[in-house]
Amino acid sequence: MLDGVLARLDEATNPLPRFTAPRCLLDRQAVGGCDACHATCPHGAITLGPLGQSVQIDPARCTGCGLCVQVCPSGALEYNLEPALHSVKDQQAPESRSGPDASLTCAQSGAGGPSLPCLGRVTPALLSVAGAWGAPLTLLHGDCAACPVGAPDVPARLERVLEEAQRLRAPTGQPARVTIRRAAPEDTARALTVSRRGAFGALFRAGKQHVAQSLPEQPLPFVDWSVPEDRTPQEWVWRARSLKPAPPPDAAITWPAPLVDDTCIDCPVCANVCPTGAITRDLQPDGGVQLLLNLGACTGCMACLHSCPPQAIHAQSHWRPAAFAAPLLLRESDTVM
């Protein structure tokens, strides 16, 4: 029984992000590929290799800053979002919106409260979920110019992450209330404040973290690619869940995704390069084919657009809420290439 409990512990202490090769645009052989993680890493920890080893992370160089995860367009690199989400939720006072702000701090900043190795791990989904909860959130960073973990431009990157989260939250009418600032001396006394509802959960997770810290670090488990629901990165699962309060039916939700025009030749390229299985190509009993899009699983990487031989794919940036309810028919044809 203990083995089962330990196997399910959050891998919060593991500095290496999980890499899911089938989501990588290099492994998918998308036209143009991608080198975002390699170009972004401030420590030279990421090298690009052949198929099956397209992204290699040097554990001796990786600091766990998360900047590669921030820029990965397809969710091939990711950290578990739930520990940070729990920290924000547990600090929220549900009885009042005027209580102390929830906070996430850079571990190098010296500020108290829940911390991340670097605020480079903060993503749009995290900020959008905080907005859905109505939780004011303060992000406290340290001296990023001298930090050995992240990069000097982490605060500027956080501003861009917040802008993306606010675009997602705009149709809900409830923007995220996020403050980004450098930690001040008085922040060193900042303590974890939890609501009565979250107190037990916080204590339980603290116990799990204590046990996890006594274990050797190990990589997160691979995604089971045979389960379609698991192909969607956690980041985009939480982005969709964070669309609360529910946008009105005529609202325009920012979610870049592909459309297909009549120049399509019904080849399988778009479905083959899609890193999350958001595009599926279903053969019909009569010999035709349907091209379907699961909008909630689409990361907007546009590998399909760049790889389409006749350039029949175009990006659409905004969608109505109903588009998330069921797969969208992108194209239906009587023939198959």
Side-chain angles (χ1 to χ4, degrees):
M1 179 178 176
L2 179 59
D3 289 343
V5 172
L6 296 179
R8 291 189 293 271
L9 290 175
D10 292 328
E11 297 292 339
T13 59
N14 184 8
L16 301 183
R18 177 172 65 181
F19 174 60
T20 303
R23 291 189 193 140
C24 181
L25 301 189
L26 293 177
D27 263 68
R28 284 287 177 176
Q29 302 184 66
V31 171
C34 180
D35 68 348
C37 57
H38 170 74
T40 296
C41 180
H43 308 292
I46 297 178
T47 55
L48 305 180
L51 292 180
Q53 298 179 342
S54 52
V55 172
Q56 301 172 53
I57 305 175
D58 183 349
R61 290 177 175 266
C62 179
T63 63
C65 68
L67 295 176
C68 58
V69 172
Q70 259 189 10
V71 301
C72 180
S74 61
L77 291 167
E78 60 183 342
Y79 285 108
N80 185 4
L81 285 173
E82 293 190 5
L85 290 172
H86 281 308
S87 291
V88 173
K89 185 64 174 177
D90 290 341
Q91 294 174 80
Q92 185 184 16
E95 300 85 0
S96 172
R97 292 169 59 93
S98 60
D101 292 5
S103 71
L104 288 174
T105 72
C106 164
Q108 306 297 311
S109 69
S115 66
L116 296 169
C118 174
L119 294 185
R121 291 199 185 194
V122 173
T123 65
L126 175 57
L127 301 187
S128 186
V129 171
W133 289 334
L137 177 62
T138 299
L139 302 176
L140 298 170
H141 62 82
D143 181 5
C144 295
C147 180
V149 176
D153 64 342
V154 164
R157 293 173 186 247
L158 285 174
E159 293 289 353
R160 293 194 291 270
V161 168
L162 177 57
E163 288 173 5
E164 187 172 354
Q166 297 294 32
R167 286 193 293 270
L168 181 62
R169 294 216 51 75
T172 71
Q174 184 172 298
R177 296 189 289 165
V178 177
T179 301
I180 302 168
R181 65 175 176 85
R182 183 168 175 173
E186 57 268 24
D187 293 314
T188 59
R190 180 181 287 262
L192 172 62
T193 303
V194 299
S195 66
R196 285 174 293 178
R197 183 173 60 185
F200 177 78
L203 289 172
F204 177 67
R205 281 185 291 276
K208 289 203 302 180
Q209 185 177 22
H210 177 74
V211 176
Q213 288 172 346
S214 69
L215 299 175
E217 291 178 351
Q218 53 185 313
L220 289 171
F222 290 108
V223 170
D224 184 353
W225 207 251
S226 67
V227 180
E229 292 79 6
D230 288 350
R231 299 176 188 176
T232 305
Q234 196 180 66
E235 170 72 13
W236 277 267
V237 169
W238 280 102
R239 288 190 192 193
R241 289 177 179 174
S242 73
L243 292 173
K244 305 291 183 183
D250 60 347
I253 297 173
T254 301
W255 198 284
L259 284 178
V260 178
D261 65 30
D262 290 337
T263 63
C264 174
I265 59 175
D266 300 310
C267 75
V269 169
C270 58
N272 289 345
V273 301
C274 181
T276 60
I279 297 178
T280 54
R281 185 171 178 268
D282 291 351
L283 299 178
Q284 302 301 300
D286 60 2
V289 64
Q290 287 186 340
L291 199 63
L292 302 172
L293 171 68
N294 178 358
L295 186 60
C298 179
T299 68
C301 70
M302 295 303 159
C304 54
L305 184 153
H306 298 302
S307 303
C308 179
Q311 298 183 330
I313 295 180
H314 312 277
Q316 178 164 303
S317 59
H318 294 82
W319 301 80
R320 302 298 185 204
F324 292 85
L328 302 175
L329 181 64
L330 294 178
R331 177 174 170 81
E332 188 168 27
S333 175
D334 296 332
T335 60
V336 178
M337 182 177 177

